[in-house]
Amino acid sequence: MTGHFRTPDTYTMGHVSFANLDNVYKRITSEAVKNHGTGACTVLIFVTNDVDALCALNMLVTLFKSDYIAHKIVPVSGYTDLSTANSLHIEENEELRSIILLNCGGLVDLSEMLSLNDEMTVYVCDSHRPLNLHGLFGSDQVLFMDDGDIDDLADLQQAFEELEEGGSESDNDEDDVSDNDEDDEDDVSDNDDDDEEADNDDDALNAANASPGRRRKRKRKRKPDESLDGPPLKKLRGSDSRRRRKRLQRMIADYYAEGTYYGMSVAGLLYAMASQLGRAGNDFLWLSIIGLTYQYLSSRISHRRYLAVVQTYKDEVSKLNPSSAGNAIASDSNLDDLESLFGSSNPANTATSRQRDDSSIKCDDELRLMLLRHWSFWEAMYCSGYVATRLGVWKECGERRLGNLLVKMGLPLEESSQKYTEMSLQYKKTIRKSLLAVAPRYNLHEIVFPSFIKSFGFKGVVSAADAVHSLAAILDMSSSTVESMIGGEDSDFNTSLSGGMGAIRREDKTGQVDKSEFDGLRGVGVGTRTGLVSTDGAALAGDPDEMGLANPVSGEEDERDWVRRFWVGYDALGSFKLLTHGIYLAMHLQKALVRACASILSKKLIQQLPNFQLCILSAGNSSELTDNEFGVFAEGERAMRLLQFLEEAMGVRGKGGAIVVAIEKTAKHAAKVDDAEAPDGEENDQGDAGWVVVGGGGGRKNMFGLAFQTAAQRTGARVKHDSFEMSVVEVEREDLEGFLESLRIYMR
């Protein structure tokens, strides 16, 4: 899998080239085999809780299990977790040899953060950019898995190494100059002033030539009793050295100031490694596809970049699924294949009939209509961010435009309001063609994008986009929110959950919701890792230590809520039933998102500042949201989704650019989160309300990571920057005003 990637053949200190990723696995297993006789666990895996990292973890664990490599998995949600895990699992651990970080750790100096002994090596597989240069080039115990980006940093590496190695030499030169000029205090003073000017001027050389001290120095050089290598020449050398150091420092500062962005998905990197090992199969390919789709749907990569990578995966699908290659949807002649397009089998097409053990992957052009296969066509259009922002569905005229679009498609309102699985076959066959015909009139030029679907035998098929939405919802939605969703309080959600493919929400004879169907969302397989789930969703028994698992903090059964959700998501990667659970959670989350954004836009809560837009969302100005919905968006990942929707909506209206969203964490929600994450029997006193602040927009690179840090430093605001995402921070309630004012000044 190297179709669009550069494949250098070098193995450099600080990183492993893309062409040699298999060397990472060979080195890890070699160290493990050396200590195999002692029964020691030599491999420790830190993994963040996002969809991409989840897929990468599944691949890595599969490889380790097949080779009988003992390993320990520690989910981490931020730097606090990473620091705590360092104390529990790394310090004084003489048996540990390999530490692997999946989608975390690339932005900090791990050699300083982790307590490493001489026998340990850290392997970083992180898509976050820019990478920390101290971590990348400053230690031979930290190795980054390169997707090709690091090879472009040769100049920065040279600058970094020159600054690190030449620091002491420069200091010695300055001392020599000072010692030889003690007899001329005025000259020394003038040169010090010259150095200060160079610090504040981009062109230090011109500033030095214009200074009085430099002119006097030239006069002193003309004295016949002074040799050319005397003290004045040494001062010139010292000044040149300082100017060069400042140029190198500016080069590195500019690298960090460019903003945050994303490299290749970590699932893609792990798939490339498995391919080089000759051990990549359909399951690994599917996980890699999910990782890529997650990056695309969350706007971490551009549409053009996505298309470039998809072509490589299409080649892989054809290679690993030869029987289904001919069924790939590449032309209009294949549009009648409802199984591949819409998740409904077509009995008349025997070429695509599924078998009980069918796990094939097929190429599929996916419509940008969120979860189309699982609710009505109208709901899919209304709740899809891509369509909703372009039609302005939160306004009455926007809903009329949506209705007009359906009329031009020739789709009756009655059909579009039905569950998609219940629509007439004649309309299903023509939806894609008719939608593409009218899409340009409504600025829906990218309504279709190439994607993939996977078969789960007789159970059904799942598209890569649906899998991403499902997994993201499972990871994001707390158990208390899930309980509230099925309690019958939200009539809209109750309606959306009735029917559909393998509908999960069912009512008993008394009309009450059958909550047993949701048992699978309360910790399936947590701590057992058997991969087996009983019919009621309970986990089968197993020894977590034998399966390579560990609680990240306490080591006890009382895991925090997000950790339980993490393991549910891990199980859902191979479970059609759990993916279906997550799909209906995603529906509810998306409806709440659309309602929240509609409220913000209709109330005109977005302020236009000189260099960015600001939205402050508090309980007082978002009364249209329920407490549960409001609390959902006061978390980093969901807040980023809200920002993504608003950014797209403002861009369509011609008001695009950078945007900052501040969401109030109410005392009620903060206490709920803290109680959920506190061990049983312990009280949490961190229920004070604050603000979650996220920033983005204005280009592919996000400038707000550095801006938030600078604003906090200038004002002394109490800011918690614990997320692996640089553009997400938490600010104390009373410090928000000063923080935003400092941010406004910085962004001018």
Side-chain angles (χ1 to χ4, degrees):
M1 182 191 151
T2 58
H4 73 289
F5 301 111
R6 290 160 292 182
T7 57
D9 297 325
T10 58
Y11 184 95
T12 308
M13 185 188 75
H15 72 279
V16 182
S17 64
F18 185 83
N20 297 299
L21 294 178
D22 57 327
N23 289 342
V24 171
Y25 187 78
K26 293 175 182 177
R27 181 171 174 176
I28 293 172
T29 54
S30 175
E31 290 293 330
V33 170
K34 290 179 183 178
N35 298 272
H36 183 70
T38 63
C41 178
T42 63
V43 180
L44 178 64
I45 306 173
F46 292 135
V47 54
T48 189
N49 58 329
D50 65 45
V51 175
D52 187 19
L54 202 67
C55 295
L57 175 67
N58 191 292
M59 282 188 269
L60 192 59
V61 168
T62 301
L63 290 173
F64 284 151
K65 286 184 177 180
S66 64
D67 291 332
Y68 301 99
I69 302 299
H71 57 279
K72 185 177 293 185
I73 304 170
V74 181
V76 289
S77 63
Y79 293 109
T80 300
D81 283 346
L82 196 58
S83 178
T84 303
N86 173 65
S87 302
L88 294 176
H89 302 292
I90 298 179
E91 290 181 0
E92 301 180 0
N93 188 343
E94 300 298 330
E95 300 175 340
L96 187 61
R97 294 293 180 268
S98 303
I99 303 169
I100 305 170
L101 291 97
L102 298 178
N103 233 12
C104 58
L107 304 182
V108 295
D109 184 0
L110 292 171
S111 61
E112 292 291 332
M113 188 171 191
L114 303 180
S115 305
L116 305 176
N117 62 40
D118 294 339
E119 302 295 329
M120 297 179 184
T121 304
V122 180
Y123 302 92
V124 183
C125 184
D126 194 356
S127 64
H128 296 88
R129 301 290 187 274
L131 297 173
N132 185 282
L133 297 182
H134 283 274
L136 182 58
F137 302 125
S139 173
D140 58 0
Q141 286 187 274
V142 180
L143 292 177
F144 283 73
M145 299 175 66
D146 183 20
D147 62 355
D149 286 352
I150 299 177
D151 290 321
D152 295 334
L153 304 181
D155 293 341
L156 279 173
Q157 181 177 2
Q158 182 179 356
F160 174 83
E161 292 175 349
E162 184 173 341
L163 287 172
E164 290 294 303
E165 296 175 2
S168 58
E169 296 178 6
S170 177
D171 293 340
N172 292 335
D173 290 342
E174 292 175 7
D175 292 341
D176 291 341
V177 172
S178 178
D179 292 341
N180 285 290
D181 285 335
E182 289 179 354
D183 60 338
D184 194 342
E185 294 181 1
D186 292 339
D187 196 33
V188 171
S189 176
D190 288 337
N191 277 281
D192 288 341
D193 293 340
D194 180 36
D195 293 340
E196 291 179 4
E197 291 177 10
D199 288 342
N200 299 303
D201 198 320
D202 290 337
D203 193 350
L205 182 59
N206 292 337
N209 289 335
S211 67
R214 184 63 63 193
R215 288 194 296 270
R216 281 197 296 270
K217 187 157 55 179
R218 286 197 295 268
K219 291 179 181 179
R220 292 183 70 243
K221 284 182 64 178
R222 296 193 190 101
K223 293 181 180 180
D225 57 339
E226 255 181 13
S227 62
L228 292 178
D229 59 349
L233 186 57
K234 287 188 177 181
K235 283 188 286 185
L236 281 174
R237 291 198 192 107
S239 180
D240 290 341
S241 176
R242 287 191 292 272
R243 284 195 295 269
R244 178 168 177 78
R245 285 177 60 83
K246 293 184 185 304
R247 283 197 297 269
L248 297 179
Q249 289 168 350
R250 280 197 295 269
M251 182 189 301
I252 293 177
D254 291 343
Y255 166 70
Y256 289 122
E258 286 180 356
T260 58
Y261 59 102
Y262 296 87
M264 182 180 181
S265 72
V266 293
L269 274 176
L270 266 294
Y271 180 77
M273 184 186 75
S275 297
Q276 294 171 14
L277 292 168
R279 301 171 65 174
N282 240 22
D283 291 340
F284 281 14
L285 177 58
W286 176 244
L287 293 171
S288 182
I289 288 171
I290 292 177
L292 171 66
T293 307
Y294 169 74
Q295 283 195 317
Y296 177 60
L297 294 180
S298 57
S299 297
R300 283 166 164 79
I301 59 175
S302 65
H303 183 72
R304 177 178 298 180
R305 185 174 165 192
Y306 172 80
L307 293 179
V309 184
V310 158
Q311 186 55 51
T312 303
Y313 284 128
K314 283 184 176 181
D315 296 338
E316 293 292 305
V317 168
S318 299
K319 181 175 67 176
L320 296 175
N321 301 267
S323 61
S324 62
N327 296 326
I329 298 174
S331 64
D332 290 345
S333 61
N334 291 320
L335 294 180
D336 290 343
D337 182 1
L338 296 182
E339 178 187 41
S340 55
L341 267 178
F342 308 118
S344 301
S345 61
N346 183 359
N349 191 347
T350 57
T352 60
S353 296
R354 294 190 300 268
Q355 303 298 322
R356 182 173 60 87
D357 58 349
D358 181 19
S359 60
S360 62
I361 302 174
K362 298 177 183 178
C363 303
D364 183 7
D365 284 343
E366 184 84 6
L367 297 176
R368 297 189 71 168
L369 305 178
M370 183 176 176
L371 302 173
L372 171 61
R373 300 167 177 86
H374 309 283
W375 51 7
S376 71
F377 189 79
W378 174 278
E379 288 173 307
M381 295 279 285
Y382 189 93
C383 294
S384 295
Y386 181 77
V387 177
T389 55
R390 282 157 177 77
L391 299 184
V393 296
W394 55 88
K395 298 179 291 187
E396 184 176 349
C397 61
E399 285 202 42
R400 286 199 302 269
R401 292 190 71 196
L402 177 56
N404 292 336
L405 185 151
L406 296 176
V407 171
K408 288 182 172 63
M409 288 177 59
L411 185 64
L413 181 61
E414 181 181 355
E415 289 289 338
S416 66
S417 301
Q418 296 228 25
K419 292 298 177 182
Y420 190 81
T421 52
E422 300 173 3
M423 284 180 61
S424 300
L425 188 61
Q426 67 183 69
Y427 294 110
K428 286 184 181 180
K429 286 185 175 183
T430 59
I431 274 184
R432 182 180 181 275
K433 186 176 181 179
S434 56
L435 181 57
L436 287 177
V438 302
R441 304 181 191 178
Y442 296 89
N443 193 25
L444 303 174
H445 301 286
E446 297 176 357
I447 192 66
V448 174
F449 65 96
S451 188
F452 307 87
I453 62 170
K454 182 181 182 346
S455 174
F456 285 80
F458 291 148
K459 297 177 182 178
V461 296
V462 175
S463 71
D466 290 353
V468 167
H469 292 309
S470 172
L471 293 167
I474 291 174
L475 292 175
D476 291 344
M477 304 288 274
S478 66
S479 58
S480 59
T481 305
V482 172
E483 290 291 345
S484 67
M485 282 195 292
I486 64 175
E489 298 177 358
D490 189 337
S491 59
D492 291 337
F493 180 57
N494 291 343
T495 302
S496 70
L497 287 185
S498 60
M501 184 187 71
I504 297 303
R505 182 185 185 278
R506 297 186 177 91
E507 297 180 354
D508 58 21
K509 295 180 179 179
T510 63
Q512 299 297 317
V513 176
D514 183 6
K515 297 185 180 183
S516 65
E517 294 290 343
F518 283 83
D519 287 341
L521 292 171
R522 303 195 195 105
V524 175
V526 174
T528 65
R529 318 318 322 137
T530 61
L532 301 176
V533 182
S534 60
T535 55
D536 62 354
L540 299 182
D543 188 347
D545 292 332
E546 292 181 359
M547 304 309 297
L549 302 178
N551 189 302
V553 176
S554 66
E556 304 294 337
E557 296 180 358
D558 300 319
E559 293 179 302
R560 289 171 293 180
D561 187 62
W562 74 265
V563 180
R564 291 194 293 270
R565 301 197 305 268
F566 176 89
W567 290 120
V568 174
Y570 184 88
D571 287 337
L573 288 172
S575 170
F576 184 82
K577 178 180 178 181
L578 289 180
L579 284 176
T580 308
H581 279 289
I583 283 171
Y584 290 102
L585 291 180
M587 289 179 180
H588 181 68
L589 181 60
Q590 188 66 15
K591 282 191 173 184
L593 174 65
V594 173
R595 281 197 294 270
C597 293
S599 176
I600 293 170
L601 294 167
S602 61
K603 292 182 178 181
K604 299 181 179 180
L605 299 180
I606 300 179
Q607 309 171 41
Q608 182 64 56
L609 301 182
N611 288 291
F612 65 93
Q613 299 168 93
L614 174 64
C615 174
I616 299 179
L617 185 61
S618 64
N621 61 18
S622 58
S623 57
E624 295 179 13
L625 299 179
T626 66
D627 289 340
N628 289 321
E629 290 171 344
F630 184 77
V632 163
F633 296 110
E635 297 291 339
E637 187 68 25
R638 277 87 73 197
M640 291 177 66
R641 293 190 196 180
L642 186 74
L643 180 141
Q644 179 184 342
F645 191 105
L646 293 176
E647 177 192 349
E648 196 165 6
M650 298 302 290
V652 171
R653 299 169 65 184
K655 300 179 180 180
I659 182 171
V660 174
V661 178
I663 306 176
E664 182 184 18
K665 292 185 69 172
T666 62
K668 176 180 178 181
H669 173 66
K672 181 186 295 184
V673 173
D674 291 332
D675 291 342
E677 296 194 352
D680 289 349
E682 295 185 15
E683 295 184 357
N684 222 318
D685 58 354
Q686 300 177 357
D688 295 337
W691 296 85
V692 173
V693 182
V694 295
R700 184 53 53 186
K701 294 184 178 181
N702 193 328
M703 308 299 297
F704 284 102
L706 182 61
F708 286 166
Q709 292 182 1
T710 304
Q713 291 171 357
R714 289 180 176 180
T715 60
R718 290 167 293 176
V719 174
K720 180 181 179 182
H721 198 158
D722 192 40
S723 172
F724 294 123
E725 301 295 336
M726 291 288 291
S727 57
V728 179
V729 297
E730 293 186 24
V731 183
E732 291 291 332
R733 174 184 291 276
E734 55 271 22
D735 295 336
L736 179 67
E737 183 176 354
F739 174 81
L740 293 177
E741 176 62 20
S742 178
L743 181 65
R744 183 188 66 80
I745 296 173
Y746 175 82
M747 295 293 290
R748 283 191 305 188

